[in-house]
Amino acid sequence: MFEISLGFGYSTQSYGTSGYTWNRRIGASVGYYPWSITEIELAFQDVVDRTKIEGFQDTTFHDQIFSVNVVQQLVPKEWPVQPYVKVGVGQLNREATGTYAFGSAPPAILDSVTLIGGVGLRIYITKIFAIRATCSPVESSCIRFDFLIRSTA
């Protein structure tokens, strides 16, 4: 059985006249189920974080995360609501620009291997279409929503 997932997220916060922050995330994944409730997932995330707080921080981070994960459902696949846990390893490619208070700056480029972890919930609308909510701080979002389609084969 296979699964395809696509997601997009955008959030913004204003600090009055002194600043703002925004985050944009695009993601996709493909999963294969070697066993009925265990999925091997290949995932990609593209995340941009922009923060400007007058006198403290003026930065932009562009992250691309490629990962291989094991997603373990905690209930049978026939259930319409399915909690799960996710662990894996990924490659983080980060480009950063900007400055912090007192003139310091983030590293311009950071490429590193990172661990992936998270918990989530799939809610099936039909037998093959679901909404998935995941909390995975390593992938730059504590709660993100994806739409997924699962094959019936």
Side-chain angles (χ1 to χ4, degrees):
M1 182 164 41
F2 290 93
E3 186 172 280
I4 298 171
S5 173
L6 300 171
F8 175 84
Y10 180 82
S11 64
T12 185
Q13 185 171 356
S14 175
Y15 303 111
T17 59
S18 65
Y20 60 89
T21 183
W22 61 261
N23 172 286
R24 188 264 312 145
R25 182 195 65 81
I26 298 170
S29 67
V30 176
Y32 171 70
Y33 284 81
W35 303 282
S36 68
I37 61 172
T38 304
E39 175 187 15
I40 306 298
E41 175 189 68
L42 300 175
F44 171 75
Q45 298 288 318
D46 186 274
V47 181
V48 177
D49 284 304
R50 174 74 172 109
T51 302
K52 182 173 174 108
I53 302 171
E54 198 64 44
F56 292 101
Q57 182 177 352
D58 186 2
T59 57
T60 302
F61 294 93
H62 181 203
D63 295 347
Q64 292 185 327
I65 305 165
F66 302 86
S67 64
V68 177
N69 308 299
V70 174
V71 181
Q72 181 64 51
Q73 292 175 194
L74 303 176
V75 297
K77 67 179 181 176
E78 295 80 18
W79 290 26
V81 177
Q82 301 172 359
Y84 63 89
V85 295
K86 169 175 151 173
V87 295
V89 64
Q91 173 66 39
L92 167 65
N93 300 327
R94 171 175 285 172
E95 295 178 6
T97 59
T99 58
Y100 296 114
F102 309 111
S104 64
I109 295 178
L110 173 67
D111 295 333
S112 69
V113 174
T114 185
L115 297 176
I116 305 292
V119 296
L121 191 66
R122 283 184 184 93
I123 301 171
Y124 277 88
I125 308 303
T126 68
K127 288 202 179 275
I128 65 166
F129 181 77
I131 296 173
R132 177 171 71 173
T134 305
C135 180
S136 181
V138 175
E139 295 179 295
S140 298
S141 77
C142 190
I143 297 197
R144 77 169 194 258
F145 295 96
D146 296 315
F147 299 98
L148 60 93
I149 295 176
R150 178 183 285 177
S151 74
T152 57

